[in-house]
C-alpha cells in the first residue's frame, strides 16, 4: 500500500507506518524552488572543487606568464587573465577548495562547539550559565577580525589554522543563539512530560529539547558560511590567510582591486562566485528550516 | 481510617528570584483518598501548578513531605523515583506545548512504554496494539496514529496527552487545568472522558482549575488556595452550600448568575493579587478582604476544622462560632 493512500482516506487504512523524517524533509525540500536552486548551486560548487583536483596542478595556477597579462575574457581565457598572465577561470576553479573549506569548516567548528556550550548553558543554567555568558561577553568584546588575526598569529599561517581561527571567532554568536533557543524550548510542557516518565535531564536535553531548538541555528549557519568566506578573504588580504600565490577567492578579489579599472574581470568573477554561493546557502538554509519543522509541512 | 493514596504534610516550595523569595506553595497539608478527586481552585499564580508538580516530584519541594501509598517519596533519588513515576502522572493545560511537535501520535504514546521497558520482550506489533488500545480508551480514531500533533485540533491533542499519561498505568494523576484551553463544547467531552476513566481504572485525581463550575462537577473534596496557602477545604457540596472563608465566598459569588438589578449579596474581589514574594506574617488576604478586623494582621491564620471535614484559615472564624462580619463595602 502506498503511503499516500494511507493518509488520504478519512476512515481508510490505519496501518501504522513509521514516518521517515529524512524522507519527509527531502519531500518538503523538493517542493521549495529556492531550496532546490540552493542545493544545485552548492552541489555544482562541490563538483567544481572535485574537478579542480583532477584538472589542475599547483603549477597551473601559480606559474607566471609574462606574455599574456591582462587579457580580456575570450574563448581561450573565459574569465580573462591577471597581472601575471594567469588564467582567472583556472584560478577560481582551483581556489574553490580553500574558500569552500574555510566556509564550511569554520562554520562547522563554530556550530558544533557553540551548540554544545550554548545548549549546556541554556538547559542547565545556574553558575555554569553565568560563567559561559561572561566568556561570550569577553569574546564578543574583541572585534572579530582582530581576534582572528591574533589567533592566526598564535597558531601560525595555513589553511587549517585559518579555518580554526574563523570558527572560534564565531563561537560566541552560536552560543548565544543556541542558549536562547534552548531556553525557549525548555519551557514547553512536553519537557515536563518527559521528566514525568522518568527521563534523565541529559536525555531530555538531547532527545526533546535540542531537536526542537535547531531551526534558528540552521538559518544562522547558512548565513555564516558566506561571512566566513568573506572573513577568510579579508584575512588573506591582510596577509594572515592562505599564502599569497594560492588563489583563495578572497585573495583574488583583493589582489585584483588594484587593477579595478584596467582589468575589472579580475575582481568581478571571483566576486560573483562568492556572491552566488552566499545566496545559495541562504536559500538552502531557509528551505531546510521549513522542511525540518513538521509544523510547516503541508 | 481513610485509605489515603496521597498525604501531603507541610509542603513548601519557594523560588529564589532576584526580587526575593517566591512563596509559591507555603505550608500546605492535605490527604487524597484512593479513587477520589481533590479539586484545587484559586486565582492564577496562587501556586496550584507548583503544588501539583511538587507532589509528583517534577520539582523538589523546599520542605515538607509527600507520602504516596504509605511511602515517603520526598527524598527519593531520581533512580528510586523512576519506578514511582509509573504511578504518578500528569495531564497538562496546554495541548499545544505539551506534545513534542516532532513526534507522531504513535511515538508520543509509546514513548513512556518503550522508555520504561514496560513491554520488554514483546514485539513491535504488541506495542502498537497497546497504543491502539490506549487510543480507543481515550476516544482517538486509530487512523490518526501516524499524525503529528499540529495536524489535530485541541481536543484531540488533549486526548493524546491523556493517553500518554495512561500508558504507564498510573494510579494518581494530576490534571493541571486539562480543559481550560479547550472550546466549551469540547470541555464537556474531555471532562466526561476523565470521569469515565476514573471509574473504569479506579484512578485518583488532583484536579486543578480556576473554574469553579468545573470543579463542582468533578470533585469530591475541594481545596481553595490563595497565594500559596490553603484557605479552605471541604467536601464539594459543603463548600458550595456553605462557603466560609471570605475568599471562597468571593470566588463563589463570582459564578452566581447575576440578577438584573444587581445581586445584593454579591461580593466582588477587589484589588490585585498580592505578590507571593516575601509575604509578611499576616493573613495573606488582608488587602482584599471585606471582613477585615483587628486580629487579621496577627500572624498567618492556621487551618482549623470548624465542622467535620470542613477546614478554614481565617482569624475571624472559630470552631465555637463564626464572628465574621462584613466591614467593607456594606
Ligand atoms: N520556576 C519558577 N521560578 C520562579 N517563580 C516561579 C517558578 N514557577 C512558578 N513561580 C511562581 O510561583 C507562583 C505560583 O505559580 P503557579 O504556576 O504554581 O501558579 P498557578 O496557580 O498554577 O497559576 P496558573 O493558574 O496561572 O497556572 C507564581 O507567582 C509564579 O510566578
Ligand atoms: S483573617 Fe481577616 S483578612 Fe484574612 S480572611 Fe479572615 S477576615 Fe479576611
Ligand atoms: Mg498553573
Amino acid at each position: 500500500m502506498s503511503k499516500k493512500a494511507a493518509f488520504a482516506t478519512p476512515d481508510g487504512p490505519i496501518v501504522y507506518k513509521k514516518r521517515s523524517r529524512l524522507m519527509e524533509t527531502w519531500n518538503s525540500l523538493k517542493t521549495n524552488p529556492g531550496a532546490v536552486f540552493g542545493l544545485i548551486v552548492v552541489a555544482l560548487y562541490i563538483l567544481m572543487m572535485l574537478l579542480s583536483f583532477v584538472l589542475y596542478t599547483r603549477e597551473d595556477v601559480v606559474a607566471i606568464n609574462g606574455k599574456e597579462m591582462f587579457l580580456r575574457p575570450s574563448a581561450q581565457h573565459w574569465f580573462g587573465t591577471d597581472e601575471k598572465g594567469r588564467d582567472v577561470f583556472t584560478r577560481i576553479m582551483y581556489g574553490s577548495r580553500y574558500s569552500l573549506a574555510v566556509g564550511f569548516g569554520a562554520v562547522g567548528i563554530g556550530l558544533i562547539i557553540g551548540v554544545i556550550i550554548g545548549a549546556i548553558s541554556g538547559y542547565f543554567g545556574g553558575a555554569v550559565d553565568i560563567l559561559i555568558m561572561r566568556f561570550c561577553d569577553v569574546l564578543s568584546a574583541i572585534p572579530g577580525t582582530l581576534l582572528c588575526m591574533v589567533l592566526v598569529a598564535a597558531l601560525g599561517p595555513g589553511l587549517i589554522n585559518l579555518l580554526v581561527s574563523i570558527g572560534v571567532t564565531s563561537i560566541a554568536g552560536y552560543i548565544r543563539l543556541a542558549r536562547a533557543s534552548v531556553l525557549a524550548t525548555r519551557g514547553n510542557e512536553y519537557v515536563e512530560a518527559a521528566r514525568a516518565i522518568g527521563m534523565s535531564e541529559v536525555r531530555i536535553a538531547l532527545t526533546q529539547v535540542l531537536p526542537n531548538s535547531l531551526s534558528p541555528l540552521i538559518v544562522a549557519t547558512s548565513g555564516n558560511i558566506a561571512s566566513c568566506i568573506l572573513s577568510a578573504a579579508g584575512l588573506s588580504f591582510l596577509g594572515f590567510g592562505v599564502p599569497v600565490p594560492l588563489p583563495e577567492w578572497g585573495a583574488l578579489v583583493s589582489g585584483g582591486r588594484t587593477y579595478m579599472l584596467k582589468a575589472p574581470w579580475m575582481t568581478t568573477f571571483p566576486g560573483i562566485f562568492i556572491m552566488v554561493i552566499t545566496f545559495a546557502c541562504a536559500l538552502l538554509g531557509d528551505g531546510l528550516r521549513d522542511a525540518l519543522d513538521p509544523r510547516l509541512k503541508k | 481510617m481513610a485509605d489515603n493514596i496521597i498525604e501531603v504534610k507541610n509542603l513548601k516550595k519557594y523560588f529564589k528570584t532576584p526580587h526575593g523569595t517566591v512563596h509559591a506553595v507555603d505550608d500546605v497539608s492535605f490527604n487524597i483518598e484512593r479513587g477520589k478527586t481533590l479539586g484545587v481552585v484559586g486565582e492564577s499564580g496562587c501556586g496550584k501548578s507548583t503544588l501539583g508538580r511538587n507532589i509528583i516530584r517534577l520539582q523538589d519541594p523546599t520542605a515538607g513531605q509527600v507520602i504516596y501509598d504509605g511511602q515517603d517519596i520526598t527524598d527519593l533519588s531520581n533512580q528510586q523515583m523512576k519506578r514511582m513515576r509509573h504511578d504518578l502522572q500528569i495531564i497538562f493545560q496546554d495541548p499545544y506545548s505539551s506534545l513534542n511537535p516532532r513526534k507522531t501520535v504513535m511515538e508520543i504514546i509509546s514513548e513512556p512504554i518503550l522508555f520504561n521497558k514496560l513491554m520488554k520482550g514483546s514485539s513491535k506489533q504488541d506495542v502498537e496494539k497497546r497504543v491502539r488500545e490506549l487510543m480507543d480508551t481515550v476516544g482517538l480514531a486509530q487512523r490518526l496514529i501516524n499524525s503529528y500533533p499540529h495536524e489535530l485540533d485541541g481536543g484531540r491533542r488533549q486526548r493524546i496527552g491523556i493517553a500518554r499519561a495512561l500508558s504507564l498505568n498510573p494510579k494518581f494523576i494530576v490534571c493541571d487545568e486539562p480543559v481550560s484551553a479547550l472550546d466549551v463544547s469540547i470541555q464537556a467531552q474531555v471532562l466526561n472522558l476523565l470521569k469515565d476513566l476514573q471509574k473504569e481504572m479506579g484512578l485518583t485525581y488532583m484536579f486543578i482549575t480556576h473554574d469553579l463550575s468545573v470543579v463542582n462537577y468533578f470533585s469530591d473534596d475541594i481545596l481553595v488556595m490563595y497565594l500559596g496557602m490553603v484557605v479552605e477545604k471541604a467536601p464539594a457540596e459543603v463548600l458550595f452550600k456553605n462557603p466560609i472563608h471570605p475568599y471562597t465566598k468571593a470566588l463563589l459569588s463570582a459564578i452566581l448568575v447575576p440578577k438584573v438589578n444587581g445581586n445584593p449579596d454579591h461580593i466582588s474581589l477587589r484589588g490585585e493579587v498580592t505578590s507571593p514574594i516575601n509575604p509578611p506574617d499576616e493573613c495573606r488576604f488582608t488587602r482584599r478582604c471585606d471582613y477585615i478586623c483587628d486580629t487579621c494582621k496577627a500572624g498567618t491564620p492556621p487551618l482549623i476544622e470548624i465542622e467535620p471535614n470542613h477546614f478554614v484559615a481565617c482569624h475571624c472564624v472559630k470552631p465555637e462560632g463564626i464572628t465574621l462580619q462584613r466591614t467593607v463595602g456594606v
Side-chain angles (χ1 to χ4, degrees):
Chain A
M1 179 178 312
S2 87
K3 189 173 140 206
K4 267 249 152 50
F7 291 108
T9 46
D11 297 298
I14 46 170
V15 190
Y16 166 61
K17 185 156 194 324
K18 184 146 178 58
R19 287 172 79 164
S20 150
R21 210 139 288 144
L22 207 64
M23 274 316 289
E24 292 198 7
T25 304
W26 170 239
N27 285 336
S28 158
L29 202 65
K30 271 194 315 203
T31 61
N32 181 335
V36 171
F37 171 78
L39 198 62
I40 292 176
V41 170
V42 171
L44 284 177
Y45 270 60
I46 290 173
L47 188 70
M48 162 170 79
M49 180 182 81
L50 295 178
L51 267 180
S52 76
F53 279 105
V54 184
L55 295 179
Y56 309 110
T57 61
R58 196 186 143 101
E59 256 320 283
D60 295 334
V61 291
V62 297
I64 298 171
N65 180 351
K67 277 177 248 152
E68 298 196 328
M69 293 187 309
F70 300 119
L71 292 184
R72 300 184 160 278
S74 64
Q76 218 206 331
H77 300 287
W78 290 358
F79 292 173
T81 60
D82 66 5
E83 82 278 11
K84 296 196 170 110
R86 299 170 296 202
D87 184 65
V88 174
F89 179 75
T90 312
R91 282 174 68 78
I92 290 176
M93 289 274 282
Y94 191 88
S96 61
R97 65 190 66 175
Y98 305 116
S99 291
L100 292 186
V102 171
F104 290 98
V107 162
I109 290 176
L111 184 70
I112 292 168
I113 300 179
V115 166
I116 293 173
I117 299 181
I120 290 173
S121 184
Y123 192 79
F124 295 101
V128 184
D129 182 32
I130 294 174
L131 207 71
I132 291 174
M133 287 330 282
R134 291 297 86 68
F135 167 74
C136 282
D137 290 345
V138 172
L139 212 56
S140 34
I142 309 167
T145 316
L146 186 66
L147 183 59
C148 256
M149 282 161 57
V150 171
L151 285 171
V152 174
L155 296 171
L159 182 66
I160 300 292
N161 291 343
L162 181 68
L163 183 154
V164 170
S165 307
I166 297 175
V168 169
T169 309
S170 67
I171 280 178
Y174 283 113
I175 292 180
R176 286 223 174 79
L177 200 61
R179 174 179 178 272
S181 185
V182 163
L183 265 178
T185 311
R186 186 183 75 157
N188 281 310
E189 286 176 340
Y190 58 79
V191 172
E192 264 183 310
R195 210 166 278 144
I197 68 169
M199 273 196 192
S200 68
E201 292 303 312
V202 173
R203 201 182 171 112
I204 293 174
L206 292 178
T207 64
Q208 313 281 325
V209 177
L210 205 55
N212 283 300
S213 311
L214 292 178
S215 297
L217 286 161
I218 288 169
V219 179
T221 303
S222 53
N224 260 3
I225 289 179
S227 72
C228 284
I229 292 178
L230 294 176
S231 293
L235 287 168
S236 299
F237 180 63
L238 294 172
F240 283 90
V242 177
V244 173
L246 295 180
E248 192 270 326
W249 290 346
L252 290 184
V253 174
S254 46
R257 216 177 41 128
T258 336
Y259 312 103
M260 196 64 182
L261 294 176
K262 193 171 175 196
W265 52 86
M266 281 176 61
T267 44
T268 312
F269 287 110
I272 289 175
F273 270 77
I274 294 177
M275 199 182 74
V276 170
I277 186 81
T278 306
F279 187 56
C281 285
L283 285 176
L284 184 59
D286 269 1
L288 265 180
R289 178 199 48 196
D290 293 350
L292 286 170
D293 189 340
R295 277 162 298 199
L296 293 174
K297 255 171 229 152
K298 287 162 241 119
Chain B
M1 253 296 288
D3 176 19
N4 291 328
I5 189 166
I6 293 280
E7 292 175 31
V8 175
K9 294 187 178 153
N10 307 98
L11 192 74
K12 292 183 185 174
K13 180 65 183 177
Y14 295 170
F15 295 106
K16 290 225 161 51
T17 69
H19 314 288
T21 308
V22 178
H23 294 223
V25 173
D26 212 350
D27 208 0
V28 169
S29 304
F30 61 84
N31 301 328
I32 308 178
E33 252 180 78
R34 195 180 304 278
K36 295 283 169 67
T37 298
L38 174 75
V40 177
V41 293
E43 283 165 298
S44 186
C46 70
K48 306 180 296 290
S49 300
T50 307
L51 178 62
R53 283 168 164 77
N54 277 277
I55 291 175
I56 63 167
R57 285 284 311 274
L58 287 181
Q59 292 174 351
D60 293 324
T62 309
Q65 274 182 308
V66 180
I67 294 164
Y68 166 68
D69 229 350
Q71 188 185 354
D72 187 343
I73 60 167
T74 331
D75 297 316
L76 290 189
S77 69
N78 285 341
Q79 205 52 41
Q80 294 167 311
M81 199 56 214
K82 212 173 152 186
R83 259 166 282 128
M84 289 290 166
R85 294 207 184 275
H86 302 188
D87 291 358
L88 310 170
Q89 283 297 308
I90 180 166
I91 299 169
F92 295 97
Q93 168 174 4
D94 182 356
Y96 292 86
S97 89
S98 64
L99 304 176
N100 189 333
R102 286 180 187 279
K103 300 200 184 246
T104 61
V105 173
M106 170 74 179
E107 288 163 337
I108 291 171
I109 301 179
S110 63
E111 187 169 46
I113 301 172
L114 297 175
F115 176 73
N116 284 291
K117 305 197 175 70
L118 281 199
M119 299 180 62
K120 213 173 173 180
S122 13
S123 65
K124 274 189 189 150
Q125 283 75 19
D126 289 339
V127 175
E128 186 189 333
K129 210 170 129 219
R130 170 83 178 124
V131 169
R132 287 175 186 282
E133 270 169 30
L134 285 163
M135 290 177 75
D136 273 344
T137 312
V138 300
L140 263 180
Q142 292 201 1
R143 71 187 150 82
L144 302 175
I145 195 163
N146 300 310
S147 309
Y148 282 107
H150 65 95
E151 295 166 345
L152 307 174
D153 59 53
R156 291 208 175 93
R157 286 159 161 262
Q158 201 55 298
R159 287 171 198 270
I160 301 175
I162 296 171
R164 171 177 61 194
L166 292 178
S167 65
L168 293 175
N169 296 316
K171 308 272 189 309
F172 172 71
I173 302 183
V174 173
C175 307
D176 190 354
E177 313 207 27
V179 298
S180 332
L182 304 179
D183 285 354
V184 180
S185 57
I186 298 173
Q187 284 194 358
Q189 292 175 12
V190 173
L191 285 174
N192 284 329
L193 169 66
L194 287 172
K195 211 159 192 181
D196 292 344
L197 291 173
Q198 178 166 43
K199 226 178 290 161
E200 280 165 37
M201 308 185 177
L203 297 170
T204 308
Y205 288 149
M206 173 167 156
F207 196 93
I208 298 172
T209 180
H210 54 255
D211 185 346
L212 273 164
S213 48
V214 168
V215 92
N216 185 26
Y217 165 82
F218 219 82
S219 313
D220 299 293
D221 288 310
I222 297 179
L223 195 80
V224 182
M225 282 184 79
Y226 188 77
L227 286 187
M229 304 193 80
V230 177
V231 294
E232 186 157 7
K233 181 184 174 253
E237 64 274 18
V238 174
L239 191 97
F240 274 83
K241 223 183 296 158
N242 182 24
I244 297 206
H245 195 279
Y247 178 63
T248 317
K249 286 184 193 231
L251 275 186
L252 279 175
S253 78
I255 63 162
L256 292 177
V257 187
K259 291 186 184 137
V260 180
N261 296 325
N263 185 343
D265 295 334
H266 183 78
I267 309 166
S268 57
L269 275 170
R270 302 175 286 112
E272 285 184 25
V273 189
T274 329
S275 134
I277 297 176
N278 302 331
D281 187 24
E282 58 183 31
C283 173
R284 289 191 188 171
F285 197 49
T286 41
R287 292 204 214 148
R288 301 170 79 194
C289 188
D290 280 348
Y291 296 82
I292 190 158
C293 54
D294 307 339
T295 48
C296 296
K297 302 227 173 197
T300 319
L303 199 62
I304 45 174
E305 191 164 14
I306 53 146
E307 54 183 352
N309 286 324
H310 191 165
F311 298 82
V312 179
C314 170
H315 285 304
C316 306
V317 177
K318 303 261 154 49
E320 56 276 11
I322 296 159
T323 56
L324 268 180
Q325 267 193 342
R326 205 158 168 187
T327 53
V328 181
V330 238

